Amino acid sequence: GESVGLHLPTLSVQEGDNSIINCAYSNSASDYFIWYKQESGKGPQFIIDIRSNMDKRQGQRVTVLLNKTVKHLSLQIAATQPGDSAVYFCAENTNDYKLSFGAGTTVTVRA
Amino acid sequence: DTGVSQDPRHKITKRGQNVTFRCDPISEHNRLYWYRQTLGQGPEFLTYFQNEAQLEKSRLLSDRFSAERPKGSFSTLEIQRTEQGDSAMYLCASSTETNTEAFFGQGTRLTVV
């Protein structure tokens, strides 16, 4: 079946360094992607989204890149801070409303 | 707080009991979603409402599960005859019809013992 998934389950990064979290998707018809951050015991928090007619979108300290040729999505976090420690999910918006999530990448920021 | 609100935050119940969860979406959002998340996994879609109409139900939603949104505002998710496999975080989200960005609540963590 078609699914959204992340390349690595865990990522350890030094405080102040940049983080890159990767995600592969298989539904070539997907046209909207979202990155969520989830802290322990909390619901997913929207970070940034991108539509398939774009290949890059920037937010505050975050950049999402979309490569439709290889069906790959990445989230870059600049100058990673301790508060960035969380589980990060990429999600694919299907049927205009349904989100399909990958398993997530746990990011740990080392002081 | 104008975000999505879920109640209760935690629920422990004995196997075979019924439980009901409530979700209050962001007030101007006409779309409401329920997701289930088990440990170490991403959320899985359960069902979706547009206003009071339930437009899709996942195959994950067995006959023991029922969701309602009677007035197009808050929603309830009921699980009858709970099983240990129902233990999970139940997440509610809402969005407008034109903006597909979904905002999630803090979830209700269900533990069936």
Side-chain angles (χ1 to χ4, degrees):
Chain A
E2 295 169 328
S3 63
V4 177
L6 289 167
H7 290 309
L8 293 173
T10 62
L11 176 67
S12 180
V13 61
Q14 185 70 38
E15 182 179 356
D17 288 352
N18 297 334
S19 304
I20 299 176
I21 306 166
N22 295 304
C23 177
Y25 65 95
S26 57
N27 187 348
S28 56
S30 296
D31 62 359
Y32 181 57
F33 304 89
I34 310 158
W35 281 99
Y36 282 92
K37 171 186 179 183
Q38 187 173 28
E39 297 174 273
S40 181
K42 296 185 178 181
Q45 177 187 359
F46 174 91
I47 302 173
I48 192 167
D49 60 0
I50 189 166
R51 297 200 175 273
S52 60
N53 61 352
M54 304 171 69
D55 53 20
K56 181 179 179 179
R57 190 161 188 227
Q58 288 184 295
Q60 187 175 13
R61 283 203 306 120
V62 295
T63 301
V64 55
L65 300 178
L66 175 62
N67 185 330
K68 294 180 288 295
T69 302
V70 295
K71 291 183 281 189
H72 181 269
L73 196 67
S74 69
L75 177 71
Q76 301 177 3
I77 305 174
T80 311
Q81 302 170 359
D84 295 327
S85 292
V87 181
Y88 290 81
F89 294 97
C90 63
E92 171 187 14
N93 189 287
T94 62
N95 296 337
D96 182 43
Y97 55 83
K98 184 191 305 183
L99 293 175
S100 178
F101 286 80
T105 292
T106 299
V107 172
T108 302
V109 180
R110 305 188 306 272
Chain B
D1 187 353
T2 58
V4 177
S5 176
Q6 291 189 246
D7 183 71
R9 291 292 309 279
H10 304 274
K11 178 70 177 179
I12 300 174
T13 190
K14 291 184 178 179
R15 190 172 46 191
Q17 297 295 304
N18 299 343
V19 294
T20 300
F21 310 141
R22 176 179 170 123
C23 172
D24 287 89
I26 294 172
S27 58
E28 62 268 25
H29 287 183
N30 61 346
R31 291 185 171 184
L32 185 146
Y33 319 82
W34 285 98
Y35 287 80
R36 181 172 68 188
Q37 185 176 26
T38 54
L39 199 62
Q41 300 298 315
E44 296 173 293
F45 173 84
L46 291 179
T47 190
Y48 152 64
F49 289 86
Q50 181 151 319
N51 299 311
E52 66 277 7
Q54 187 174 19
L55 298 185
E56 184 172 343
K57 293 170 60 174
S58 164
R59 285 172 292 179
L60 294 174
L61 221 60
S62 75
D63 291 344
R64 297 184 296 105
F65 288 70
S66 63
E68 295 182 343
R69 194 183 185 198
K71 298 181 180 179
S73 57
F74 74 92
S75 175
T76 57
L77 177 67
E78 180 183 16
I79 309 174
Q80 295 181 326
R81 305 181 302 283
T82 51
E83 302 173 357
Q84 285 189 319
D86 297 331
S87 295
M89 173 80 87
Y90 290 84
L91 293 161
C92 177
S94 70
S95 73
T96 64
E97 188 168 345
T98 55
N99 184 349
T100 49
E101 175 186 335
F103 293 86
F104 282 83
Q106 300 286 47
T108 293
R109 180 166 294 284
L110 173 67
T111 302
V112 182
V113 298

